[in-house]
Amino acid sequence: MDTIESTIELPTGAYALDRYTRTYMFGERKVLAIYTTHGQPGRVWVSRPADFPVVFDGGCSVVNVAWDLETRSFLRVTCNGDA
């Protein structure tokens, strides 16, 4: 989390990092994260996919992140679409 959060560049239109609830989970050779403005700001690791939030809209109130563990680089940092 520290490495990701110290190097991430949020998309245009996103809020400041400390405004988001930041949820992280290990995926296959990567770390997945979702940042949402719905809830208390802070960060947490989850270990079960069932505990990882799924949000289908929300624009930049929701940011999706994928971090490659091998290359230690971002695969994706995007705002959600709007419904």
Side-chain angles (χ1 to χ4, degrees):
M1 284 188 280
D2 290 337
T3 300
I4 291 170
E5 291 184 5
S6 69
T7 58
I8 195 167
E9 290 185 29
L10 293 174
T12 301
Y15 299 96
L17 186 63
D18 63 358
R19 296 228 3 234
Y20 289 99
T21 301
R22 302 174 311 275
T23 305
Y24 293 87
M25 179 180 76
F26 284 110
E28 188 175 324
R29 292 179 273 169
K30 60 188 160 195
V31 173
L32 302 173
I34 187 166
Y35 300 170
T36 67
T37 58
H38 314 291
Q40 185 68 24
R43 59 190 194 171
V44 64
W45 276 99
V46 297
S47 57
R48 298 178 330 132
D51 296 330
F52 193 76
V54 176
V55 183
F56 295 105
D57 61 2
C60 285
S61 69
V62 180
V63 176
N64 297 283
V65 179
W67 170 264
D68 188 293
L69 289 166
E70 185 176 320
T71 63
R72 299 181 60 83
S73 63
F74 291 97
L75 299 168
R76 177 179 68 242
V77 180
T78 59
C79 292
N80 260 15
D82 287 313

